[in-house]
């Protein structure tokens, strides 16, 4: 559905009182020479009009309002002692507004807002905002209260489907921007492409600041089931080149891009789309007329990064604040009035750490009831467990907690295919260590225990694969390991994540046994692949239980995206797991845990 232009124009203007920066005083007139007619005093030069303002930015909030981890049911903490959440961000924002003047600031976001915590899940699925008379999403409540001016769409905005996103959009007092989120039929913007903000300068003409929103083209792959035939997502550079000149022609003195796209110029889905996933730096380099880019998506911290535009030679500043509200970016602009218009004389960026402040009590009070509801929900007991299982060693050992995921997935697919033409085929399953801190305790098991094992909103599919394709799949997955010589000391902390491969892009496969020789070069590591105790035949046929991210090409694993789909499910895998535990009432690792893969060097097990 194309965006409502009338509503958009009404909501996109933000005004405030400005602060001018005065120029130097005029030099005094020269003294007349003795005995001569006094010289006519020189007309003092008018000081240049100047103006300064600050744009604050967040990104990848992922449903974090409070400094709380719903998966561990305690205050959030990590090795660096970061804090998270909009309640902390609110305190930082208030301080900057007090320092700079509210009218001299804007607050924007670069996407991935409504997915990631059990708080955001609860109001999308358990007590959904789409229900008749349903609640207002906590992220909308918090961001409205803090006073956001605009937010770009992230790819995870589409995880719960377009109806949830549209309802969230209506609940926000600020526009959701996506210049490259187009209606699939009309190819017109499905959301507002930009917002225009007028900063009131009492000592000179107002300053017009345009914010252009760009989202990630990978949405077409990652959320194919939700967007196919409804929306299309062309490249960031292409759409920025279209819109930036328009914004300048509309009188924008400053153009800021809020881009849900990393800066590295890389993609996780290979050549499946002709667009770059992490294109923010390329946009700065190739599209003239941009002053600053708020970067998102990559979950990295970039306080200040300058990119030179190839056409103009102008430096564009980029900044990416750390995910979940751990940092707040500040873009500080200094403008000068020249030739009848405002020119950016200087702009820099920095990030503020949210662990330096307390949570804003206003936000805590506003959403205290929602927080309590979710805490009670995730602590519901749904079964018992015979022996504790942990994921800490999952990246380099076959551990029972990952076997549990694969066991449930394979069992679910087998039941779904019963009575079909595929019922007789053996079922294999893939899983990854999404969290190295997941624990299923011995004794009582709660919703949060199971949900903490599968932290993404992935759904389950079944694809047809051959033995040869599975070998290639395993070989590709083994690229995750750093090549380690047979006589070298193995440090588990330095063994994984080769070439920046994240844990979630290392798959282990159940139903087969195999070895990975980390002394060998990538591409020739997997050996002794067996099914049912015999060497795996290339022409063997399997049903492969796989998450939708992987099935749609996420991670660029071979063959699976093109494989025939024989079944799919719209419910999240973690919900499937919760329902499975509820139905069984108990978990016993002895029923499913086995060591089916191992790391070796020259045939000798590493562990």
């Amino acid at each position: 559905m194309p965006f409502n232009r009338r509503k958009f124009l009404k909501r996109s203007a933000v005004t405030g009182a400005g602060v001018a920066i005065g120029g130097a005083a005029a030099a005094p007139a020269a003294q007349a020479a003795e005995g001569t007619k006094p010289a006519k005093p020189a007309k003092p030069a008018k000081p240049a009009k100047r103006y300064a303002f600050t744009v604050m930015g967040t990104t990848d909030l992922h449903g974090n309002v409070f400094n709380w981890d719903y998966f561990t049911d305690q205050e959030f903490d990590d090795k660096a002692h970061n804090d998270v959440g909009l309640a902390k961000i609110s305190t930082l924002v208030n301080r900057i507004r007090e320092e700079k003047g509210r009218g001299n600031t804007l607050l924007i976001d670069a996407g991935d807002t409504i997915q990631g915590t059990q708080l955001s899940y609860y109001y999308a699925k358990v007590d959904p905002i789409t229900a008749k008379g349903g609640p207002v999403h906590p992220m909308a409540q918090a961001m409205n209260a803090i006073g956001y001016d605009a937010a770009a769409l992230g790819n995870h905005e589409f995880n719960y489907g377009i109806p949830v996103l549209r309802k969230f959009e209506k609940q926000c007092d600020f526009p959701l921007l996506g210049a490259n989120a187009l209606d699939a039929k009309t190819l017109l913007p499905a959301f507002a492409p930009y917002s225009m903000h007028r900063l009131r300068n009492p000592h000179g003409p107002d300053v017009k600041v345009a914010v252009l929103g760009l989202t990630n083209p990978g949405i077409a792959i990652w959320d194919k089931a939700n967007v196919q035939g409804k929306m299309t997502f062309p490249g960031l550079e292409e759409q920025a080149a279209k819109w930036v000149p328009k914004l300048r022609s509309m009188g924008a003195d400053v153009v800021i891009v809020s881009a849900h796209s990393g800066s590295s110029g890389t993609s996780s889905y290979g050549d499946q789309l002709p667009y770059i996933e992490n294109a923010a730096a390329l946009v700065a380099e190739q599209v003239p007329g941009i002053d600053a880019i708020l970067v998102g998506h990559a979950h990295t911290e970039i306080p200040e990064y300058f990119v030179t535009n190839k056409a103009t030679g102008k430096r564009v500043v980029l900044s990416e604040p750390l995910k979940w509200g751990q940092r707040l970016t500040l873009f500080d602009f200094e403008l000068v009035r020249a030739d009848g218009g405002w020119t950016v004389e200087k702009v820099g960026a920095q990030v503020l750490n949210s662990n330096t402040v307390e949570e804003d009590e206003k936000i805590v009070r506003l959403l205290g009831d929602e927080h309590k509801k979710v805490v009670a929900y995730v602590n519901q007991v749904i079964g018992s467990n015979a022996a504790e299982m942990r994921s800490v060693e999952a990246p380099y050992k076959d551990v029972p907690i990952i076997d549990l995921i694969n066991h449930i997935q394979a069992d679910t697919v087998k039941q779904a295919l019963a009575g079909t033409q595929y019922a007789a085929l053996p079922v294999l399953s893939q899983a990854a260590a999404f969290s190295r801190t997941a624990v299923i305790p011995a004794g009582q098991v709660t919703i949060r225990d199971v949900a903490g094992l599968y932290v993404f909103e992935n759904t389950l599919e079944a694809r047809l694969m051959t033995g040869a394709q599975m070998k290639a799949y395993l070989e590709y997955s083994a690229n995750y390991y750093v090549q380690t010589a047979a006589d070298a000391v193995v440090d588990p902390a330095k063994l994984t994540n080769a070439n920046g491969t994240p844990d979630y892009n290392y798959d282990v496969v159940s139903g087969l046994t195999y070895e990975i020789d980390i002394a060998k070069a990538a591409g020739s590591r997997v050996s002794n692949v067996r099914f049912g105790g015999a060497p795996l035949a290339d022409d063997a046929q399997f049903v492969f239980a796989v998450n939708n991210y992987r099935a749609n090409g996420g991670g660029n694993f071979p063959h699976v995206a093109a494989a025939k789909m024989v079944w799919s499910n719209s419910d999240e895998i973690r919900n499937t797991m919760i329902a499975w535990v509820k139905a069984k009432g108990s978990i016993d690792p002895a029923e499913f845990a086995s060591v089916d893969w191992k790391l070796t060097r020259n045939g000798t097990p590493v562990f």
Side-chain angles (χ1 to χ4, degrees):
M1 181 180 73
F3 73 98
N4 186 319
R5 188 173 188 84
R6 191 174 195 181
K7 178 181 177 183
F8 156 64
L9 290 173
K10 181 180 179 182
R11 294 173 66 190
S12 64
V14 175
T15 61
V19 169
I21 303 176
Q31 299 295 321
E34 185 177 350
T36 63
K37 187 177 180 179
K40 189 175 180 180
K43 189 176 181 179
K46 289 185 178 180
K49 290 186 173 68
R50 296 180 181 275
Y51 179 71
F53 70 97
T54 296
V55 176
M56 298 173 282
T58 55
T59 191
D60 296 276
L61 293 169
H62 283 287
N64 284 279
V65 172
F66 302 104
N67 188 43
W68 192 262
D69 186 341
Y70 292 98
F71 295 128
T72 61
D73 199 25
Q74 60 188 358
E75 185 174 304
F76 176 88
D77 195 23
D78 61 13
K79 291 181 181 179
H81 301 299
N82 288 301
D83 287 347
V84 301
L86 279 169
K88 292 264 183 174
I89 289 295
S90 183
T91 302
L92 290 174
V93 167
N94 290 338
R95 288 188 178 184
I96 297 302
R97 284 172 174 163
E98 184 177 356
E99 176 187 339
K100 307 285 186 179
R102 174 68 183 256
N104 304 313
T105 65
L106 294 173
L107 175 60
I108 63 177
D109 183 80
D112 275 6
T113 303
I114 60 171
Q115 174 277 336
T117 65
Q118 287 293 285
L119 179 72
S120 55
Y121 174 82
Y122 186 88
Y123 288 98
K125 290 289 188 178
V126 181
D127 185 10
I129 61 174
T130 50
K132 186 177 180 179
V136 177
H137 199 289
M139 294 301 287
Q141 291 190 59
M143 295 174 81
N144 290 342
I146 296 169
Y148 273 78
D149 295 295
L153 294 165
N155 55 283
H156 284 288
E157 258 66 82
F158 295 84
N159 285 173
Y160 296 118
I162 292 173
V164 170
L165 175 54
R166 286 300 188 190
K167 185 66 173 182
F168 174 70
E169 180 187 28
K170 289 180 180 179
Q171 293 178 341
C172 292
D173 294 339
F174 51 90
L176 300 183
L177 308 178
N180 62 327
L182 309 182
D183 182 276
K185 294 180 180 178
T186 66
L187 298 184
L188 295 174
F191 295 84
Y194 67 90
S195 57
M196 191 73 77
H197 309 269
R198 187 181 295 273
L199 300 178
R200 300 292 187 187
N201 179 4
H203 305 289
D206 295 343
V207 174
K208 291 178 70 176
V209 181
V211 179
L212 179 67
L214 296 170
T215 193
N216 207 290
I219 294 166
I221 288 177
W222 304 322
D223 268 301
K224 183 178 180 180
N226 290 326
V227 301
Q228 188 173 35
K230 299 174 183 177
M231 293 185 189
T232 185
F233 303 88
L236 283 83
E237 301 144 83
E238 168 192 327
Q239 294 301 304
K242 173 183 176 180
W243 283 100
V244 171
K246 290 184 179 181
L247 296 174
R248 289 294 184 182
S249 70
M250 292 165 62
D253 300 298
V254 178
V255 173
I256 300 167
V257 173
S258 183
H260 193 75
S261 180
S263 63
S264 64
T266 61
S267 287
S268 65
Y269 47 76
D271 59 0
Q272 293 181 63
L273 283 179
Y275 309 116
I276 298 297
E277 176 184 349
N278 296 301
L282 297 176
V283 171
E285 180 183 80
Q286 298 180 22
V287 181
I290 298 170
D291 296 297
I293 300 180
L294 177 65
V295 179
H297 182 62
H299 289 200
T300 57
E301 182 176 346
I302 306 174
E304 182 182 61
Y305 173 45
F306 287 96
V307 174
T308 301
N309 184 268
K310 284 186 174 181
T312 64
K314 176 184 174 181
R315 294 204 311 166
V316 182
V317 64
L318 283 70
S319 181
E320 181 177 6
L322 202 56
K323 63 184 178 180
W324 304 348
Q326 294 178 40
R327 303 288 186 275
L328 176 71
T329 278
L330 303 183
F331 291 109
D332 291 310
F333 288 86
E334 295 181 17
L335 275 59
V336 63
R337 186 78 177 173
D339 299 324
W342 290 105
T343 300
V344 176
E345 186 175 60
K346 182 181 179 183
V347 58
Q350 60 177 306
V351 295
L352 304 182
N353 194 328
S354 64
N355 72 5
T356 62
V357 297
E358 298 298 318
E359 291 185 324
D360 184 348
E361 282 300 319
K362 173 185 172 183
I363 305 301
V364 173
R365 289 193 301 270
L366 177 68
L367 291 165
D369 289 343
E370 287 83 348
H371 174 69
K372 291 176 183 176
K373 284 182 182 179
V374 176
V375 168
Y377 164 74
V378 300
N379 281 289
Q380 291 180 45
V381 175
I382 56 174
S384 63
N385 181 29
E388 181 184 82
M389 297 180 287
R390 292 181 172 269
S391 65
V392 63
E393 295 182 318
Y396 49 88
K397 287 184 181 180
D398 189 345
V399 294
I401 200 167
I402 304 300
D403 292 340
L404 175 63
I405 300 175
N406 276 328
H407 180 66
I408 294 173
Q409 291 182 165
D411 190 41
T412 301
V413 168
K414 286 175 184 176
Q415 292 184 42
L417 295 180
T420 72
Q421 66 186 99
Y422 307 106
L425 290 178
V427 178
L428 310 179
S429 179
Q430 62 79 224
F434 296 124
S435 168
R436 296 194 184 199
T437 58
V439 179
I440 306 290
Q444 291 186 333
V445 176
T446 64
I447 285 177
R448 69 177 174 84
D449 294 328
V450 178
L453 178 56
Y454 212 111
V455 299
F456 293 109
E457 266 70 33
N458 296 339
T459 58
L460 188 60
E461 296 187 11
R463 301 277 178 130
L464 292 182
M465 297 278 279
T466 67
Q469 290 172 336
M470 290 309 308
K471 289 177 185 176
Y473 192 99
L474 292 173
E475 192 66 67
Y476 181 87
S477 187
N479 293 341
Y480 170 72
Y481 292 106
V482 175
Q483 187 173 4
T484 308
D487 57 351
V489 174
V490 176
D491 181 356
K494 298 178 181 179
L495 181 60
T496 61
N497 309 109
N499 300 313
T501 302
D503 291 347
Y504 62 77
N505 273 343
Y506 171 61
D507 284 358
V508 300
V509 174
S510 70
L512 302 174
T513 60
Y514 56 98
E515 298 175 7
I516 301 173
D517 192 331
I518 59 173
K520 293 183 177 179
S524 59
R525 292 174 169 173
V526 177
S527 64
N528 200 22
V529 184
R530 293 176 172 269
F531 172 70
L536 178 62
D538 286 348
D539 61 353
Q541 296 287 316
F542 298 97
V543 172
F544 191 32
V546 59
N547 68 54
N548 69 304
Y549 172 81
R550 189 71 77 238
N552 288 333
N556 202 31
F557 277 63
H559 303 300
V560 66
K564 179 180 176 61
M565 182 175 70
V566 297
W567 177 83
S568 67
N569 185 14
S570 62
D571 204 8
E572 287 88 354
I573 291 172
R574 65 181 174 203
N575 272 355
T576 300
M577 294 172 62
I578 290 167
W580 187 91
V581 174
K582 278 184 176 180
K584 280 189 64 72
S586 63
I587 303 171
D588 185 357
E591 296 179 0
F592 54 81
S594 61
V595 178
D596 296 327
W597 64 273
K598 57 188 174 184
L599 301 184
T600 64
R601 289 185 295 182
N602 294 341
T604 302
V606 174
F607 300 104

